[in-house]
Amino acid sequence: MTTTQNDISKIYEENLKFWDEAWKRVSKPHKELPKLPYIHEITRKLKKYQVKKVLDLGCGSGWLSIFISKYGFDVTGIDIAKPAVELGKTWASEDNAKVNFLVGDLLNLPFKENSFDAVVCNSVLEHFRFDQAKVLFEKVHKILTEKGFLFACFDQVGSGKGEYFELSDSTHVYTDQMRQGMMLRNYSDNELKELLSNFDILSFDKNNYGSRLVWARKK
Ligand SMILES: C[S@@+](CC[C@H](N)C(=O)[O-])C[C@H]1O[C@@H](n2cnc3c(N)ncnc32)[C@H](O)[C@@H]1O
């Protein structure tokens, strides 16, 4: 069966709906920081690079945005799921954190060129098809200031249980009840490097879970 452009658009819409529904099931901010060994490295590097304005792509309920903001950075967090952004706003107001939270699609970022000194993105890019990820990285390149920085964590995904069908670029589209509609794609190291062709890669590390942690600088 061939997949038409119309099917592809519908699949993407269903994927966005998945995120909205998933976040609707979360009733209050889960304020414990994830036990990710690299989170302090993020703020250390942002300081070292003298970053001021940071954009958190796919911020979810905002743990990373709020964490970074507490170090004095001017942070904007954006996510497609309104319920997630509302949780982030609640969390920020309860904890006196200053974050500009927005609802929006990463494929249609509402920012002008040269808007941010750094972009961070944790465990999000696996939810895009390869052609979409290319568009996103081009936009990220534009909205970064000259020699701006990018931090991204790309998880190793797609080997767990679940029913899905595959798009032509090997993106999985889940059909099981838990993840109905969610898109997930495992990126090879080479594909990640291709996405980053407009950036100088400063570091490219793999942790024990197979996640790739990348720091890059706009060329
Ligand atoms: C696995 S969660 C990661 C959330 C957060 N970055 C973290 O580290 O916990 C993926 C996030 O990406 C968001 N997302 C997925 N597709 C998106 C899109 N097209 N535009 C904006 N956000 C999106 C989801 O709503 C979800 O909050």
Side-chain angles (χ1 to χ4, degrees), residues 12 15-16 18-20 22-23 34 36 38 56-64 78-82 84-85 102-109 120-128 132 136 153 155 182-184:
Y12 185 59
N15 161 71
L16 298 185
F18 160 81
W19 287 110
D20 211 56
W23 279 111
L36 300 171
Y38 53 86
D56 181 10
L57 294 177
C59 61
S61 58
W63 72 265
L64 182 56
I78 185 164
D79 198 284
I80 193 67
K82 187 162 184 263
V85 170
L102 303 171
V103 177
D105 187 347
L106 303 192
L107 295 184
N108 197 12
L109 288 172
V120 297
C121 188
N122 190 65
S123 305
V124 175
L125 295 161
E126 307 79 21
H127 299 291
F128 291 88
Q132 294 178 315
L136 174 56
C153 172
D155 291 329
M182 186 183 81
M183 287 171 20
L184 198 60

Side-chain angles (χ1 to χ4, degrees), residues 39 42-43 46 54 56 63-75 120:
I39 61 177
I42 298 177
T43 46
L46 294 176
V54 184
D56 181 10
W63 72 265
L64 182 56
S65 299
I66 291 172
F67 174 70
I68 292 176
S69 77
K70 291 191 173 163
Y71 287 78
F73 299 101
D74 175 350
V75 184
V120 297

Side-chain angles (χ1 to χ4, degrees), residues 21-215:
E21 295 297 326
W23 279 111
K24 266 188 201 153
R25 292 194 287 272
V26 184
S27 57
K28 56 179 191 223
H30 175 71
K31 292 194 184 176
E32 201 182 321
L33 282 179
K35 291 188 178 40
L36 300 171
Y38 53 86
I39 61 177
H40 294 281
E41 185 69 10
I42 298 177
T43 46
R44 243 197 321 271
K45 287 246 169 84
L46 294 176
K47 268 198 178 157
K48 179 176 151 197
Y49 298 146
Q50 301 186 326
V51 161
K52 290 192 172 60
K53 289 187 76 182
V54 184
L55 173 65
D56 181 10
L57 294 177
C59 61
S61 58
W63 72 265
L64 182 56
S65 299
I66 291 172
F67 174 70
I68 292 176
S69 77
K70 291 191 173 163
Y71 287 78
F73 299 101
D74 175 350
V75 184
T76 297
I78 185 164
D79 198 284
I80 193 67
K82 187 162 184 263
V85 170
E86 292 302 325
L87 289 168
K89 285 182 180 170
T90 303
W91 183 350
S93 98
E94 286 174 3
D95 284 25
N96 275 326
K98 203 167 154 270
V99 174
N100 176 28
F101 280 115
L102 303 171
V103 177
D105 187 347
L106 303 192
L107 295 184
N108 197 12
L109 288 172
F111 308 113
K112 293 197 185 111
E113 293 190 9
N114 302 312
S115 295
F116 297 95
D117 308 312
V119 167
V120 297
C121 188
N122 190 65
S123 305
V124 175
L125 295 161
E126 307 79 21
H127 299 291
F128 291 88
R129 300 189 314 262
F130 195 31
D131 62 315
Q132 294 178 315
K134 280 187 183 161
V135 171
L136 174 56
F137 272 71
E138 276 163 22
K139 180 72 179 185
V140 167
H141 187 268
K142 285 204 174 100
I143 62 179
L144 279 170
T145 50
E146 203 186 330
K147 304 274 178 199
F149 294 91
L150 169 68
F151 166 75
C153 172
F154 301 91
D155 291 329
Q156 181 82 43
V157 294
S159 54
K161 279 192 187 150
E163 294 158 27
Y164 55 82
F165 61 91
E166 273 190 37
L167 301 180
S168 59
D169 74 340
S170 306
T171 300
H172 293 177
V173 182
Y174 283 86
T175 54
D176 58 54
Q177 208 185 352
M178 278 297 287
R179 295 186 282 183
Q180 174 77 44
M182 186 183 81
M183 287 171 20
L184 198 60
R185 184 176 193 280
N186 196 36
Y187 282 84
S188 68
D189 291 358
N190 281 343
E191 285 170 335
L192 296 182
K193 287 175 185 163
E194 187 182 332
L195 291 175
L196 292 162
S197 57
N198 281 336
F199 292 81
D200 288 316
I201 296 178
L202 305 174
S203 59
F204 192 106
D205 300 315
K206 206 171 271 191
N207 69 14
N208 292 342
Y209 303 101
S211 298
R212 275 70 47 87
L213 305 172
V214 181
W215 280 93

